[in-house]
Amino acid sequence: MLRMRSLRRALLPLVLVASPAAAQLGFGSRPPQDSVPTAVSPASPRAALQAFLRHANAADWDGAAEFLAVPTAQRERAPLLARRLKTVIDQRLALDANTLSPLVSGDTLDGDLTGDKVADLLGPTGREESLRLVRVGGPPVRWVFSQATVNHVDGWFEALGNPWVRERLPATLMGEGPFNVYWWQWIGLGLAIPVLVLLAWGLGALLRTLLGRIARRTVTDWDDVLLENLRGPFRLWAAALAGGPVFALLELNPRANAFVAALTRGLALIAIFWALLRLIRIAQTRLQNAAWETGQGAQARTLVPLLGNFLRVTLAIIALLVALAQFGYPVGTLLAGLGIGGIAVALAAQKTVEHLFGSVSLAADKAFRVGDWVRAGTTEGEVQRIGLRSTSFRTIDRTVVRVPNGRLADERIETFGERDRILLRTDIDLTYDTAPEQIQRIRDTLEEALRAHPKIWPDAVRVHVVAFTDSAVRLNVVSWFQTTDWTEFLQIRHDMLLQFMRIVGEGGAHFAFPSRTVYHVTQPGQGTPPVDG
């Protein structure tokens, strides 16, 4: 396993900002050491590295070997060591020669007066090993890779994977593509994707066939529904699981391999959370169906979707945290930061939390259910949906009003769907020329008509004279009808009011209307009949 510590490409800093997973691929930037353009000395570390890369890119391994401090005993292997070092640099470092010093003396600010550190690599043993350039005496003075660096080349190269394959591939396929991945590896990745799809499809079909035979022998149908809904998540999970050994055949470099491994783990986790979401939906559907069968469908329409949404939100938060952890984000630090900044978070999310707890409060108190006609504050209508944040009402004008649950929980809520009977209350005004005996007969007849109705609630039927108004004697009628259907009650009230009119007419009385009688007082003997106004 190799790791770069100091030098990265300056052209791709946005990839590092966008995702820590891109950092696993080794992209980033470091500002050049020179803030002011400086002339590059041909005897500087920068010129030496540029010359080495120029000879290597031209496959001039003898020329590239001149920049290696090769021990005398290994002079015959110098071209091979140069080739292997170039492969290590291409695969692990993505060096930018412009980050090295352009001076003959090298970088003297790092405390190393005899050489310049190019990068730190993790060797096969897991310890950091330095890739260094050292200055050798002349004349002329020149910079070469140190003998310690040359001694590590074979170990670094062996850590890249199977050298036999790399040394026998055509030069075109050994060229680097994006993310320091060889072109033959990109081709392998392109072929691996349809292979994984076919493999996942085959495993899914095989497992579905086996489990389908078992499910058909059972009495219940829940296992058939479960098997049908988990087909997609299982295929994704199987593809992610098979991706590890398939991608391992490509021998990707550790940075690319770490990204691919994180991606496959992420897909496996997505498949698991996808399956859990399907299970929540299946359980929600079955609970609602069971509630309808037991006559509790209205309550199920309220509580079951609310519980399902709560579980989905909780699962989404957990999935997000797990995904962040898979791609290198410090979730523990993030949660600790939320703890430290809890006050700010609480203030920012105050309304959201208020509405969430408001929905829980409404569900716990069973203030109303989906389908109930409700009056809450200035809002009146049929409850359409109870969500985690707000409740939707269908008003009598057929508009939809959404009220936040936090505010709704504090309102005075009048639920018409909870009543067991409906009130009929009206006033009947009779003219003052109606005799008391007539009023009594009319009152008794009205009560008899109410009690004769098959839907009347007989425990409270009241018909009484309650007031003498400016223009009438007022009879107050109060009764309840044993129905909760508003449409049915409208017809009952319609029939009863028409019957009340007939009873008053048959009793020889008349309905009063607002009027006033004015008497003109004159001198004695000059009487004037009253004038009605």
Side-chain angles (χ1 to χ4, degrees):
M1 177 71 70
L2 305 175
R3 184 184 64 184
M4 183 187 74
R5 191 179 78 174
S6 59
L7 299 178
R8 301 183 187 272
R9 291 194 177 185
L11 298 179
L12 296 173
L14 295 178
V15 179
L16 180 63
V17 174
S19 171
Q24 297 175 355
L25 295 175
F27 295 108
S29 64
R30 189 184 74 173
Q33 295 177 353
D34 305 309
S35 58
V36 179
T38 305
V40 179
S41 171
S44 65
R46 181 184 299 182
L49 180 58
Q50 290 173 340
F52 171 80
L53 294 176
R54 184 168 58 252
H55 284 288
N57 290 332
D60 181 10
W61 303 114
D62 291 327
E66 295 297 325
F67 295 90
L68 274 64
V70 182
T72 304
Q74 299 188 41
R75 290 303 299 177
E76 294 181 358
R77 298 185 68 241
L80 177 62
L81 291 173
R83 179 178 178 180
R84 290 188 170 188
L85 179 59
K86 175 60 166 57
T87 302
V88 171
I89 291 175
D90 287 344
Q91 283 295 294
R92 295 297 178 264
L93 296 180
L95 285 179
D96 182 4
N98 293 326
T99 59
L100 296 180
S101 173
L103 304 177
V104 177
S105 59
D107 185 5
T108 59
L109 300 179
D110 60 358
D112 186 359
L113 300 180
T114 62
D116 275 7
K117 182 189 293 186
V118 179
D120 282 336
L121 304 176
L122 284 181
T125 61
R127 298 178 57 185
E128 281 194 349
E129 298 168 351
S130 297
L131 178 68
R132 297 178 69 247
L133 287 168
V134 295
R135 186 173 65 249
V136 296
V141 175
R142 65 194 188 97
W143 289 78
V144 296
F145 288 102
S146 68
Q147 186 172 338
T149 297
V150 174
N151 292 335
H152 292 313
V153 168
D154 287 330
W156 293 339
F157 184 78
E158 294 295 334
L160 294 178
N162 190 346
W164 184 90
V165 175
R166 298 179 184 277
E167 292 179 347
R168 286 163 176 77
L169 286 175
T172 54
L173 295 182
M174 282 301 299
E176 288 186 8
F179 307 115
N180 291 339
V181 176
Y182 289 124
W183 287 115
W184 73 268
Q185 293 173 330
W186 278 112
I187 295 174
L189 288 172
L191 295 176
I193 294 176
V195 169
L196 291 176
V197 171
L198 292 176
L199 185 61
W201 184 86
L203 290 176
L206 178 62
L207 186 64
R208 188 169 183 271
T209 301
L210 296 176
L211 295 180
R213 295 177 180 177
I214 300 175
R216 284 192 293 269
R217 297 177 182 177
T218 59
V219 179
T220 60
D221 62 342
W222 67 267
D223 47 359
D224 301 277
V225 176
L226 188 66
L227 188 62
E228 181 66 26
N229 281 271
L230 295 184
R231 182 193 307 180
F234 175 78
R235 288 177 177 173
L236 180 60
W237 177 80
L241 194 65
V246 171
F247 291 131
L249 298 175
L250 300 176
E251 297 182 349
L252 299 172
N253 63 67
R255 288 169 294 177
N257 189 60
F259 178 79
V260 171
L263 183 61
T264 54
R265 288 196 302 270
L267 291 176
L269 291 173
I270 290 175
I272 293 175
F273 287 114
W274 185 11
L276 291 176
L277 288 175
R278 289 289 182 90
L279 290 176
I280 292 175
R281 188 182 68 179
I282 294 172
Q284 178 177 336
T285 302
R286 295 190 70 85
L287 286 175
Q288 287 178 329
N289 293 338
W292 282 111
E293 293 174 1
T294 57
Q296 300 177 350
Q299 190 67 25
R301 290 173 60 193
T302 301
L303 295 179
V304 174
L306 185 62
L307 179 61
N309 291 336
F310 182 79
L311 291 177
R312 290 186 183 93
V313 171
T314 303
L315 188 63
I317 294 174
I318 296 175
L320 177 61
L321 293 177
V322 172
L324 291 176
Q326 286 297 315
F327 284 97
Y329 286 93
V331 177
T333 305
L334 177 62
L335 294 178
L338 291 178
I340 295 174
I343 296 177
V345 173
L347 291 176
Q350 180 180 4
K351 290 297 182 181
T352 301
V353 175
E354 177 185 354
H355 300 326
L356 177 62
F357 280 96
S359 63
V360 174
S361 175
L362 292 174
D365 293 342
K366 298 181 181 180
F368 47 75
R369 299 170 298 185
V370 174
D372 285 348
W373 190 271
V374 172
R375 181 186 294 126
T378 58
T379 303
E380 181 176 350
E382 180 184 358
V383 179
Q384 294 281 299
R385 176 181 174 273
I386 303 176
L388 290 178
R389 184 188 178 279
S390 63
T391 298
S392 300
F393 296 91
R394 176 76 69 177
T395 67
I396 195 171
D397 295 326
R398 305 306 297 163
T399 61
V400 176
V401 177
R402 295 174 178 85
V403 182
N405 290 331
R407 192 181 76 184
L408 190 61
D410 295 332
E411 293 281 2
R412 176 183 178 272
I413 299 176
E414 184 178 0
T415 305
F416 295 93
E418 293 291 334
R419 56 189 175 187
D420 55 351
R421 52 186 179 271
I422 301 180
L423 172 68
L424 170 62
R425 178 171 54 194
T426 187
D427 292 326
I428 299 177
D429 290 344
L430 303 178
T431 58
Y432 273 109
D433 58 1
T434 306
E437 294 77 9
Q438 288 179 293
I439 294 176
Q440 184 63 39
R441 285 195 303 271
I442 291 173
R443 180 263 174 202
D444 294 341
T445 307
L446 291 173
E447 182 174 348
E448 290 176 1
L450 287 171
R451 293 188 179 278
H453 197 281
K455 290 282 187 175
I456 196 67
W457 188 60
D459 293 347
V461 177
R462 298 194 296 268
V463 182
H464 300 93
V465 175
V466 294
F468 296 105
T469 67
D470 292 340
S471 57
V473 178
R474 176 162 296 170
L475 282 171
N476 180 249
V477 179
V478 177
S479 61
W480 282 266
F481 289 88
Q482 299 181 84
T483 179
T484 58
D485 187 346
W486 180 250
T487 303
E488 182 183 10
F489 173 74
L490 289 177
Q491 185 61 44
I492 292 174
R493 185 173 61 181
H494 170 83
D495 295 338
M496 294 308 303
L497 292 179
L498 291 180
Q499 189 171 356
F500 291 168
M501 291 183 65
R502 287 192 290 269
I503 291 173
V504 171
E506 292 171 358
H510 300 86
F511 288 102
F513 55 89
S515 62
R516 179 175 298 172
T517 301
V518 180
Y519 293 89
H520 294 276
V521 180
T522 61
Q523 294 295 330
Q526 298 180 358
T528 302
V531 178
D532 292 336

